[in-house]
Amino acid sequence: MTRRPTAILISGRGSNMVSLIAAAMRPDFPAEIRVVISNRPDAAGLERARTAGVEAIAIDHKDYASKEDFEGAVQAALDERGIQLVCLAGFMRILTDGFLRRWGNNIINIHPSLLPAFKGLDTHHRALESGVRIAGCTVHVVRPEMDSGPIIAQAAVPVLPDDSEDTLAARVLDAEHQLYPRALALYASGKARVSGERIIFEGDAKSSDPAIYSLPAGD
Ligand code: GRF
């Protein structure tokens, strides 16, 4: 089995990153996490990655005169390490069309809503305001339009009557930690791949498996 050389881009605490690194410790996992890159030198995730034995570097966007220069530095770091697949995990910079074109279908992201609902920031607040009864998260291939692109996998969680933003965010985050490694495994192995602007499943991946996980309501 080939393990695809993979990078994770973060900006903050890196809890999804930790779940990806943990999953990729298994020798049969189809992606090898070679490097974690943060655009913020103070991101807590950098130290968490190093503790887990993964190289972690900061490339501070503030050190570069333009977005393109910043992305050029990121690209060089990825190239040096032979990276073939990029996972965004709480990476808070909008990437340029040029960078995304370079990566094509080989850059994926996790978003804390059931896309295409609640794109952008502040998703849990807006979910509660709207009165939806089901929330969740989405792993998708990244396209230039924010929080759009072929959907690899989604996980659904209930919205409970007494939820605050914090309790809903925590429930969704728990689902994210379960979903992202499974989505990455499907995608890195080629069992899930882009066809048109949708994902199709092949081999022993059942289309019902990665589509929705009904998670227990919790407390
Ligand atoms: C997650 O909710 C993710 O979906 C969003 O940003 C958050 C990052 O959290 N894109 P963490 O850094 O992985 O803990």
Side-chain angles (χ1 to χ4, degrees), residues 23-219:
M25 293 283 175
R26 292 175 49 145
D28 62 344
F29 196 84
E32 176 206 343
I33 310 300
R34 283 207 181 157
V35 67
V36 169
I37 300 174
S38 171
N39 66 302
R40 296 186 51 139
D42 60 351
L46 285 171
E47 208 39 54
R48 296 176 85 177
R50 290 182 194 122
T51 303
V54 175
E55 184 191 12
I57 56 176
I59 300 178
D60 189 345
H61 62 277
K62 294 197 197 105
D63 291 344
Y64 297 87
S66 70
K67 247 179 192 294
E68 285 74 12
D69 288 352
F70 164 68
E71 290 177 354
V74 172
Q75 184 65 54
L78 298 173
D79 288 343
E80 274 166 30
R81 292 161 181 82
I83 299 302
Q84 294 176 11
L85 185 60
V86 174
C87 297
L88 306 181
F91 182 68
M92 301 305 284
R93 306 295 297 170
I94 305 270
L95 293 162
T96 64
D97 288 9
F99 186 88
L100 293 178
R101 216 174 304 114
R102 155 69 183 79
W103 284 92
N105 290 333
N106 296 313
I107 179 163
I108 67 177
N109 179 45
I110 188 158
H111 182 74
S113 77
L114 291 172
L115 291 174
F118 308 122
K119 295 180 177 184
L121 297 174
D122 222 10
T123 51
H124 304 304
H125 174 75
R126 287 183 289 134
L128 289 176
E129 289 277 294
S130 75
V132 292
R133 289 283 159 252
I134 298 174
C137 51
T138 303
V139 178
H140 65 98
V141 180
V142 178
R143 295 290 185 245
E145 190 196 325
M146 191 176 50
D147 297 325
S148 68
I151 290 173
I152 300 168
Q154 293 185 304
V157 301
V159 179
L160 302 180
D162 55 353
D163 263 336
S164 64
E165 276 179 54
D166 286 348
T167 58
L168 180 58
R171 192 175 307 118
V172 172
L173 191 65
D174 185 49
E176 293 183 47
H177 297 160
Q178 298 179 54
L179 186 71
Y180 209 174
R182 296 179 74 164
L184 174 59
L186 281 168
Y187 200 62
S189 66
K191 287 177 185 167
R193 67 177 176 83
V194 176
S195 171
E197 277 303 283
R198 297 183 53 163
I199 295 291
I200 58 169
F201 298 96
E202 290 179 350
D204 57 7
K206 291 187 242 42
S207 59
S208 60
D209 178 32
I212 293 180
Y213 302 110
S214 290
L215 297 166
D219 55 358

